[in-house]
């Protein structure tokens, strides 16, 4: 359910392109025009605007936006202008190779994408950045050019990056295998997995993580959701609490991300938004990423879940945590002018 309001009348991509070009003319940028136009257009319309802009003015709209906008608004608009896979590869590259390595953001993206999306990310990542995604995951987050303190963090995510289309765990063994991501489940396999997890124990030499790795990288979201339910029924324990008890660090974070997204994607994102805006300061990167990536998918459901869970409208919270044209743009993605 998209949160974007439907335009009251059929918009012209040509007119939008002309409006944007005029907004860039003269001293400064008419930011209000940029926000009003781009914040209220769907993906197809935005693509058409970019094509019209290049045809009319022989210029790249995204490059012009990068020159004219600044701060959080610039980051939000540029992410919004990309296709879903472009958003993912751009965010992953920044998370893995930026000044500050952001393992959690990389984990969140990798662990909430299905097999076909992961394959598409890999296909786009290499020609865009001239390197393999797996290489950046391993090299840019460890090695001599990084503090040794990061190496343990990387080892943890590398175990989870088995999910990058099962790169290390399945594809190398079965190149033609693709993880099933449909709604059907095998009840017997669900129960077998529940039993396997129940037998996991932390040994003196450390926990054998292979069971978690196999199950969480090879099973579909529907299977994992059923597993959480079966585990509770069979052993009167919550799978989430077992993961928290038996694992640690970013490996734990990755497993919990996969499980929480599988069980309830809407709750997963509502919770992330809550954390991004709770307390002093705002995690603008997370806020921007979720609103831009979910606005045309399920942001309306996320808004409803947020209100039910936290007794306050998401629009109101975003309004109080942001300001200026940045606020106006995010509110547009939320389908509100406030």
């Amino acid at each position: 359910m998209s949160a974007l309001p439907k335009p009251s009348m059929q918009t012209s991509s040509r007119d939008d392109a002309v409006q944007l070009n005029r907004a860039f003319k003269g001293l400064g940028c008419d930011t209000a025009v940029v926000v009003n136009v781009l914040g209220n257009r769907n993906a197809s319309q935005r693509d058409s605007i970019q094509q019209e802009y290049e045809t009319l003015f022989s210029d790249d709209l995204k490059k012009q936006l990068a020159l004219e906008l600044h701060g959080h608004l610039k980051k939000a608009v540029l992410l919004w202008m990309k296709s879903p896979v472009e958003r993912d590869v751009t965010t992953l590259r920044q998370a893995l190779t930026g000044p500050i390595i952001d393992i959690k953001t990389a984990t969140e993206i990798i662990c909430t994408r299905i097999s076909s999306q992961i394959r598409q990310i890999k296909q786009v990542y290499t020609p865009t950045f001239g390197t393999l995604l797996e290489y950046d995951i391993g090299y840019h987050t460890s090695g001599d050019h990084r503090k040794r303190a990061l190496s343990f963090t990387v080892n943890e995510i590398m175990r989870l990056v088995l999910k990058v289309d099962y790169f290390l765990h399945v594809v190398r063994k079965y190149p033609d295998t693709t993880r099933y991501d449909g709604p059907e489940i095998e009840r017997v396999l669900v129960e077998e997995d529940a039993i396997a997890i129940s037998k996991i124990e932390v040994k003196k030499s450390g926990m054998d993580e292979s069971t978690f790795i196999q199950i969480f990288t090879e099973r579909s979201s529907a299977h994992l959701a059923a597993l959480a339910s079966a585990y509770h029924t069979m052993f009167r324990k919550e799978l989430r609490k077992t993961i928290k008890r038996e694992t640690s660090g970013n490996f734990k974070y990755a497993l919990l991300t996969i499980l929480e997204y599988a069980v309830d994607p809407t709750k997963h994102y509502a919770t992330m938004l809550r954390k991004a805006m709770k307390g002093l300061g705002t995690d603008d990167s997370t806020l921007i990423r979720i609103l831009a990536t979910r606005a045309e998918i399920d942001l309306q459901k996320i808004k409803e879940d947020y209100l039910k869970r936290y007794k306050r409208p998401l629009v109101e919270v975003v309004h109080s945590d942001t300001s200026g044209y940045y606020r106006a743009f995010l509110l547009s993605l939320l389908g509100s002018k406030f």
Side-chain angles (χ1 to χ4, degrees), residues 315-329:
V315 168
E316 181 182 301
V317 180
V318 171
H319 185 276
S320 65
D321 271 48
T322 57
S323 62
Y325 290 118
Y326 171 51
R327 169 199 286 165
F329 184 73

Side-chain angles (χ1 to χ4, degrees), residues 12 37 46 57 85-86 93 105 139-140 147 181 193-194 218 251 254 260-261 267 282 289 300 312 317 328 333 337:
S12 165
V37 172
R46 296 195 303 276
F57 308 109
V85 67
E86 287 173 335
R93 176 69 172 183
T105 292
Y139 179 78
H140 288 288
K147 293 181 179 179
D181 285 307
D193 285 346
E218 295 187 22
F251 185 56
E260 290 166 3
Y261 181 81
K267 178 184 176 182
T282 301
R289 184 175 72 255
Q300 185 60 40
R312 192 179 176 193
V317 180
L333 300 190
K337 300 298 182 182

Side-chain angles (χ1 to χ4, degrees), residues 20-21 24 29 34 38 49-50 53-54 57-70 74 77-79 81-82:
L20 289 170
N21 183 254
F24 301 146
C29 171
V34 175
L38 298 180
I49 292 170
Q50 292 186 77
Y53 194 91
E54 185 171 1
F57 308 109
S58 301
D59 199 1
D60 186 310
L61 177 57
K62 283 186 281 194
K63 288 183 179 179
Q64 194 62 39
L65 289 167
L67 291 172
E68 299 288 347
L69 303 178
H70 306 281
K74 173 181 175 178
V77 171
L78 290 180
L79 192 64
M81 294 301 292
K82 297 178 185 294

Side-chain angles (χ1 to χ4, degrees), residues 53-331:
Y53 194 91
E54 185 171 1
T55 299
L56 292 171
F57 308 109
S58 301
D59 199 1
D60 186 310
L61 177 57
K62 283 186 281 194
K63 288 183 179 179
Q64 194 62 39
L65 289 167
L67 291 172
E68 299 288 347
L69 303 178
H70 306 281
H72 295 314
L73 175 63
K74 173 181 175 178
K75 183 174 182 178
V77 171
L78 290 180
L79 192 64
W80 179 240
M81 294 301 292
K82 297 178 185 294
S83 68
V85 67
E86 287 173 335
R87 291 174 192 148
D88 283 348
V89 299
T90 300
T91 305
L92 279 169
R93 176 69 172 183
Q94 180 62 32
L96 295 169
T97 68
I100 300 176
I101 303 303
D102 188 351
I103 296 297
K104 286 193 173 182
T105 292
T107 301
E108 196 272 327
I109 293 174
I110 290 169
C111 295
T112 58
R113 303 300 186 261
I114 62 176
S115 298
S116 59
Q117 291 172 319
I118 293 294
R119 286 198 302 274
Q120 194 176 17
I121 288 171
K122 290 181 64 179
Q123 290 167 0
V124 174
Y125 196 95
T126 299
T128 301
F129 302 114
T131 185
L132 295 173
L133 172 59
E134 298 83 4
Y135 177 82
D136 273 352
I137 289 170
Y139 179 78
H140 288 288
T141 54
S142 62
D144 295 337
H145 73 297
R146 298 291 184 188
K147 293 181 179 179
R148 291 186 62 188
L150 283 175
S151 63
F152 181 67
T153 297
V154 176
N155 288 337
E156 290 177 323
I157 195 171
M158 281 299 291
R159 291 196 292 268
L160 226 289
V161 167
L162 298 172
K163 184 161 170 127
V164 176
D165 92 3
Y166 318 41
F167 179 66
L168 297 175
H169 188 63
V170 176
V171 170
R172 279 183 173 174
K173 291 167 57 180
Y174 311 107
D176 297 324
T177 301
T178 299
R179 184 181 66 246
Y180 173 72
D181 285 307
E184 291 82 11
I185 62 171
E186 293 182 31
R187 180 57 59 181
V188 172
L189 183 58
V190 168
E191 293 177 356
E192 289 176 354
D193 285 346
I195 293 171
I197 290 176
S198 73
K199 293 179 180 179
I200 292 177
E201 294 181 359
V202 178
K203 302 176 182 178
K204 291 182 180 180
S205 59
M207 187 191 70
D208 178 7
E209 297 163 341
S210 61
T211 299
F212 275 131
I213 289 174
Q214 180 180 20
I215 292 172
F216 278 72
T217 59
E218 295 187 22
R219 308 297 190 252
S220 67
S221 290
H223 179 101
L224 293 174
L227 172 61
S229 177
Y231 188 82
H232 184 267
T233 300
M234 294 168 69
F235 303 105
R236 295 293 184 267
K237 298 178 182 178
E238 290 186 27
L239 180 54
R240 187 172 184 275
K241 289 183 178 180
T242 296
I243 292 171
K244 281 188 170 184
R245 184 178 65 252
E246 303 293 352
T247 63
S248 62
N250 287 296
F251 185 56
K252 175 175 72 174
Y253 178 79
L255 293 176
L256 289 174
T257 297
I258 294 173
L259 181 64
E260 290 166 3
Y261 181 81
V263 171
D264 191 341
T266 301
K267 178 184 176 182
H268 170 74
Y269 287 116
T271 302
M272 288 189 67
L273 287 168
R274 168 72 168 178
K275 291 178 180 178
M277 296 181 285
K278 186 179 180 180
L280 295 176
T282 301
D283 181 354
D284 290 285
S285 293
T286 296
L287 177 61
I288 290 168
R289 184 175 72 255
I290 294 177
L291 295 190
T293 58
R294 310 310 296 186
E296 295 175 288
I297 301 175
D298 56 0
L299 189 52
Q300 185 60 40
K301 288 184 177 180
I302 293 171
K303 287 166 59 179
E304 294 168 1
D305 186 87
Y306 192 98
L307 176 60
K308 180 180 178 181
R309 204 169 294 279
Y310 304 113
K311 312 306 179 187
R312 192 179 176 193
L314 180 57
V315 168
E316 181 182 301
V317 180
V318 171
H319 185 276
S320 65
D321 271 48
T322 57
S323 62
Y325 290 118
Y326 171 51
R327 169 199 286 165
F329 184 73
L330 294 187
L331 292 181

